[in-house]
Amino acid sequence: MTAVIIGAAETDRVGVIPELSTMGLHLQAAANALADAGLTPADIDGVASIGTPGPVTIAHALGIKPLWLDGTYAGGASFLIHVRHAAAAIAAGYCHTVLITHGESGRSRVGPVPLVVEPWSVQGQFEVPYGVAGAATTFTVPALRFMKETGTTHEQLAQVAVVTRQWAQLNPRALRRDPITVDDVLASRMIAYPFHQLECCLVTDGGGALIVTSAERAADLPRRAPRVHLLGSGESSDGPVMSMMADLTRSRGFQLSSRAAFRQAGIGHRDVDHVMIYDAFAHVPLFGLEDMGFVGRGEAAGFVGDGHTAPGGSLPMNTNGGGLSYTHTGMYGMFAILESVRQLRGEAAAQVPDPRISVVLGNGGSFVVAGTLVLGTAEAAGY
Amino acid sequence: MAESQHRIVDVGPGKPEPMITPDTQPYWDAAARGVLSVQRCQRCLTAYFYPRPICPQCGGAEVDWITASGRATLLSYVISHRPAAGFTPPFVIAVVRLEEGPQMMTNIVGIAPDPENLELDMPLIVEFEKRGTACVPVFRPAEPAS
């Protein structure tokens, strides 16, 4: 029995939404996903979300009487892990239809998720004293070692942002759509050497939601859009902080979560038609391509540079324009899943030709925790 | 001054200070004396950092505190242009590998924050910044061996 995504939607707009709070973004996304599925809150008996506001509040606000709740917090990977946990809960009979929500007022900071590092935590004691100021100063630190070990150049790092922008140009909802060159990237403001502003993600407002049920129940429900099946999933973690990665040039979370997901799905890399790799910063997709096994050691930058991930390429990647150019609320993973769903339904803005299998890699924190989903069409799932 | 004791530079308050917990108290107590101390498993002899009561290599619960040499190499870094309390950007946020094996985040001091001065794998030596109550280990390029 596979789990099936029967509802998927974003907030009406993404980008700059000062008129909606964090809570408002969650609820608008939830309402849109319910409408997408043709369901009402009475049809939902499981809720997964992260605090703030958390699944209890989301359930109550929508009048849902939940029989299953999941508040697993894994930063931007949370929602991939929620899909995985929801599939397990549905298979176990704990609930039959799960609503997963994300909303974040990352830019306008209306009713925001608090940005707090507990001063007694591993990060509070052993990173904060060194002047770290958000992901731009932690997530980025492994990059120079990765570049040295793999022979990746500054121009190749910039190229990731250039290719991602090519996808954004095809997506009217993307926040940044002007074409850019490698020179533009390298001339943009320095944020944390070697990272320039155009190699760092956007900071935006937005939300998204998913509705997951069993394939059996889905068969009895109105069919508003092609169903997207969960073929495999995985989750893992590296450590509480970037500086404790076992190897600064590889994410164990990326490796272990993707290995589990591919194994469960019973697929190989050649079966994958489309991929979303969390791109908070330009080096993360390079780690992802290597750690997931799409390319060998040191081949990721050349793979991107040769156009394989660009429009018309053999492995279309981050086709919504990614966190670099589409939107990045802070916990971007929901938007990566939603783009895979749109591609498999055939309704993406930058639609790739007839994808059957799409893989989503989510990251949480600065190489702290990861989740992978292998999604497929009904045909790919054998339905 | 014993060889394992390193320079303490009083930089005054302003930069962030850790909130010390019982698990980490010996580390910060040693730092206050200009000593870099890490834990080592009595069973498998793995040295590790950050301070915690169980060996992450073998699960052993019998662990010692050892005095590290203070010598390290530069694994990776960024030059941060982001504002941070007590810091004047740009400044260097790095991960270094101690001679004993463990890696840790730190600042690289004693050089202008320029990639020309920051070659990966370069040798470093610890010193301590006294910031109000806590002494925080930072690293500077090691003097060439004479």
Side-chain angles (χ1 to χ4, degrees), chain A residues 258-269 272 292 294 359 372 374:
Chain A
S258 62
R259 203 176 299 162
F262 276 69
R263 188 185 304 123
Q264 186 184 19
I267 62 159
H269 295 88
V272 178
M292 298 177 90
F294 284 106
V359 174
T372 302
V374 177

Side-chain angles (χ1 to χ4, degrees), chain A residues 20-97:
Chain A
L20 287 179
S21 67
T22 298
M23 178 76 170
L25 293 163
H26 274 269
L27 297 181
Q28 188 183 85
N32 289 350
L34 285 164
D36 180 65
L39 300 180
T40 72
D43 298 308
I44 304 295
D45 66 350
V47 177
S49 191
I50 55 154
T52 305
V56 171
T57 300
I58 295 296
H60 184 264
L62 292 169
I64 294 166
K65 300 180 185 68
L67 299 173
W68 177 83
L69 296 154
D70 183 8
T72 301
Y73 177 70
S78 299
F79 318 100
L80 289 87
I81 292 174
H82 292 163
V83 170
R84 183 171 207 247
H85 293 184
I90 291 164
Y94 296 161
C95 56
H96 56 67
T97 306

Side-chain angles (χ1 to χ4, degrees), chain A residues 125 129-130 141 145 193 243 245, chain B residues 24 75-76 103 121 131 137:
Chain A
Q125 292 196 60
Y130 300 109
V141 173
R145 172 56 61 175
Y193 173 86
S243 57
M245 290 173 78
Chain B
T24 66
L75 279 181
S76 202
Q103 68 193 40
D121 303 313
R131 307 176 172 180

Side-chain angles (χ1 to χ4, degrees), chain B residues 8 11 14 22 25 27 29 55-56 59 63 70 77-78 112 120-121 139:
Chain B
I8 299 177
V11 299
Q25 188 78 50
Y27 172 82
D29 285 349
C55 170
V63 298
Y77 71 91
V78 292
L120 297 194
D121 303 313
F139 287 78

Side-chain angles (χ1 to χ4, degrees), chain B residues 41-124:
Chain B
C41 175
Q42 290 181 10
R43 187 160 76 192
C44 74
L45 301 181
T46 298
Y48 66 91
F49 176 82
Y50 53 96
R52 50 208 196 272
I54 307 291
C55 170
Q57 184 68 32
C58 76
E62 299 296 319
V63 298
D64 293 329
W65 287 92
I66 61 167
T67 296
S69 69
R71 287 186 287 271
T73 54
L74 180 59
L75 279 181
S76 202
Y77 71 91
V78 292
I79 302 173
S80 177
H81 292 250
R82 302 279 296 153
F87 287 83
T88 305
F91 62 97
V92 182
I93 298 171
V95 175
V96 301
R97 183 174 300 292
L98 305 182
E99 189 171 56
E100 291 77 13
Q103 68 193 40
M104 61 187 295
M105 181 178 276
T106 192
N107 297 128
I108 307 298
V109 300
I111 45 106
D114 185 313
E116 301 248 317
N117 301 324
L118 292 156
E119 190 176 346
L120 297 194
D121 303 313
M122 68 191 284
L124 304 164

Side-chain angles (χ1 to χ4, degrees), chain A residues 172-239:
Chain A
R173 277 169 68 88
L175 189 68
R176 296 277 181 265
R177 302 185 62 213
D178 298 337
I180 54 173
T181 65
V182 166
D183 286 344
D184 292 333
V185 175
L186 297 178
S188 63
R189 186 161 59 92
M190 190 64 82
I191 301 294
Y193 173 86
F195 286 86
H196 306 79
Q197 184 161 31
L198 290 174
E199 291 157 321
C200 302
C201 66
L202 306 168
V203 180
T204 63
D205 307 322
L210 294 162
I211 297 170
V212 180
T213 192
S214 65
E216 285 68 20
R217 181 170 164 81
D220 295 333
L221 292 172
R223 182 188 169 93
R224 299 293 193 88
R227 267 64 193 268
V228 171
H229 292 247
L230 178 67
L231 305 181
S233 64
E235 64 192 281
S236 190
S237 59
D238 281 81

